[in-house]
Amino acid sequence: MPETEFKQIYNDNYARILRLCMGYVSGDTDLAKDLTQEVFIKVWNNVKTFRKESNISTWIYRIAINTCLISLRNKKSKRFSDTLLTEDILQKEEATQIKEKQYQDMYRCINKLSATNKGIILMELEGLAQKEIAAVMGLKHEAVRTRIHRIKNQLTKCVNHE
């Protein structure tokens, strides 16, 4: 199809297709213009397949309706996935805030411990072996093991406000 012929088809149908698209997108002018442009790209790419069994404007309307429906379907599924994504982000954010509060409570309670017990539990939280903690603190391994058990009980009560 020559470009001049396409321009004539475009000029004859643009306003009607834009109005049709506006109806599908509830008056969103930018989206309607995008869809109208997409329609005419499809017309340009597929005009060779037009069988001339109906008026070309009827064929263009069919392309426009299908384009708008596909766009709405994609927009709905995107909105649904965006909603799920937003809910997922909010849940993760809430979980993070809860964890942060728990850590703050735990460290508040750790700060109430004696210097020795505080050192022991902080090394335990860092993953040091109890034998290493005993060597650093100058205590026997059994004493450190017993203290860690008592400190954990004390911290649990403190964090739970008992």
Side-chain angles (χ1 to χ4, degrees):
M1 169 183 283
E3 193 175 321
T4 54
E5 192 177 334
F6 178 77
K7 283 183 180 178
Q8 186 61 48
I9 291 170
Y10 179 86
N11 290 333
D12 291 346
N13 293 281
Y14 180 84
R16 286 184 281 190
I17 299 303
L18 179 62
R19 284 191 300 273
L20 176 75
C21 291
M22 288 282 281
Y24 275 98
V25 297
S26 305
D28 183 337
T29 307
D30 292 334
L31 184 55
K33 286 180 180 178
D34 288 347
L35 289 170
T36 302
Q37 181 178 4
E38 192 175 328
V39 167
F40 283 102
I41 289 170
K42 288 178 181 179
V43 169
W44 174 259
N45 290 332
N46 296 295
V47 74
K48 293 175 195 101
T49 64
F50 177 59
R51 294 178 293 206
K52 298 181 177 129
E53 293 172 0
S54 63
N55 193 332
I56 194 155
S57 62
T58 306
W59 181 66
I60 294 170
Y61 267 115
R62 188 74 250 158
I63 292 171
I65 290 168
N66 288 338
T67 301
C68 290
L69 290 174
I70 289 168
S71 172
L72 289 175
R73 195 174 315 126
N74 290 342
K75 192 175 180 181
K76 271 186 183 173
S77 83
K78 182 178 179 346
R79 222 177 326 146
F80 180 69
S81 67
D82 284 350
T83 301
L84 290 178
L85 182 63
T86 302
E87 288 175 3
D88 188 41
I89 289 169
L90 290 174
Q91 286 174 348
K92 285 180 181 175
E93 196 174 290
E94 188 177 324
T96 301
Q97 289 173 348
I98 289 170
K99 260 198 179 1
E100 274 184 35
K101 171 118 174 56
Q102 289 172 336
Y103 283 133
Q104 288 172 350
D105 288 348
M106 185 178 71
Y107 282 109
R108 179 184 46 80
C109 292
I110 288 172
N111 283 325
K112 292 179 179 179
L113 297 172
S114 68
T116 305
N117 286 350
K118 184 176 180 179
I120 290 171
I121 199 64
L122 289 174
M123 285 187 275
E124 172 77 4
L125 291 172
E126 284 297 315
L128 262 69
Q130 290 180 357
K131 287 184 180 180
E132 288 181 65
I133 296 171
V136 170
M137 300 303 290
L139 299 168
K140 291 185 179 183
H141 176 245
E142 292 300 318
V144 168
R145 209 170 66 182
T146 302
R147 279 198 189 200
I148 288 173
H149 179 73
R150 289 179 183 161
I151 293 167
K152 285 181 178 179
N153 286 338
Q154 192 177 348
L155 290 174
T156 300
K157 287 179 182 176
C158 178
V159 168
N160 292 330
H161 309 291
E162 292 176 8

